[in-house]
Amino acid sequence: APLQSGYYNASADAMVLGLQFFAGAPEDDVNTAVQTALDAAVELTSGDFKVFVTGRTATRLAATAEAGKLIGMTDGIGTCFIVVFFAWQVGSWRLALIPVVNTIICLVLCLGLIYPLSSSKAIVLPSYVPNVCLFLSIALSVDYSFFHLSRFQEVRLQGKDLITACEEMVRTAGRVVLVSGVVLLFTW
């Protein structure tokens, strides 16, 4: 009876169930057990009967799953708008393909470097890392391409040839991109 009264509240029709993990338990095992409890809570919830899983690990796993979905949806919706806006600003649909290609190359390189480290368990990464990689790849590819191509278009509108426009673009906008990229490299 004392155990029941500690975990069951008759007036609120509520019951508490606790999961206890040993301090030395591997983090992957704890995450798997808590994720299993979260999945079971969803399956057991029906009608007026609700099952909740609380705690630091459960909250982190649930927040990570929700943040990943939101970031992924935002990136997917925003990408189309970004490409259209970029093409309009630069004045060329062909030049708008440059940040798209840059983004794809950045993602392939980034995920190609992260995957072996993550799968070998050398580092443990949250599930939202690929979405952050996508976000940063899009942001930096578009931003840096915009610096370069805006300068390129300015020089071309002055009537200069293609080679001169490329040289001017790299000489002026290239410095801004280099400094900005180095700063981001050391701060991230």
Side-chain angles (χ1 to χ4, degrees):
L3 182 62
Q4 179 185 8
S5 64
Y7 292 97
Y8 178 71
N9 182 340
S11 63
D13 286 330
M15 185 168 79
V16 175
L17 174 67
L19 294 174
Q20 182 175 355
F21 298 101
F22 296 104
E27 186 178 352
D28 287 345
D29 292 346
V30 172
N31 287 342
T32 302
V34 173
Q35 187 60 53
T36 302
L38 286 168
D39 296 339
V42 170
E43 290 178 24
L44 292 171
T45 297
S46 66
D48 291 338
F49 184 72
K50 296 189 179 5
V51 178
F52 300 98
V53 179
T54 63
R56 186 178 70 213
T57 303
T59 304
R60 180 179 49 80
L61 290 173
T64 298
E66 286 302 311
K69 288 178 195 172
L70 291 174
I71 291 171
M73 286 188 319
T74 304
D75 286 345
I77 293 168
T79 302
C80 298
F81 174 73
I82 289 168
V83 170
V84 169
F85 183 72
F86 187 86
W88 175 67
Q89 282 296 113
V90 174
S92 169
W93 284 101
R94 287 184 303 170
L95 293 178
L97 293 176
I98 291 174
V100 172
V101 171
N102 284 344
T103 301
I104 292 168
I105 291 170
C106 287
L107 280 175
V108 168
L109 288 174
C110 182
L111 297 176
L113 292 172
I114 289 175
Y115 180 76
L117 291 173
S118 178
S119 64
S120 71
K121 306 290 186 202
I123 56 175
V124 177
L125 297 173
S127 63
Y128 57 82
V129 167
N131 291 325
V132 172
C133 289
L134 175 64
F135 169 72
L136 287 174
S137 296
I138 291 171
L140 296 178
S141 293
V142 169
D143 193 31
Y144 294 164
S145 294
F146 187 71
F147 286 142
H148 279 107
L149 296 175
S150 294
R151 184 64 186 140
F152 175 80
Q153 289 292 72
E154 287 174 10
V155 175
R156 290 292 286 168
L157 289 174
Q158 294 171 358
K160 297 188 179 171
D161 63 43
L162 182 65
I163 301 297
T164 305
C166 288
E167 289 172 350
E168 185 71 18
M169 171 189 70
V170 171
R171 191 172 53 76
T172 57
R175 289 182 189 153
V176 173
V177 169
L178 178 64
V179 169
S180 177
V182 169
V183 168
L184 283 174
L185 177 69
F186 287 109
T187 57
W188 275 85

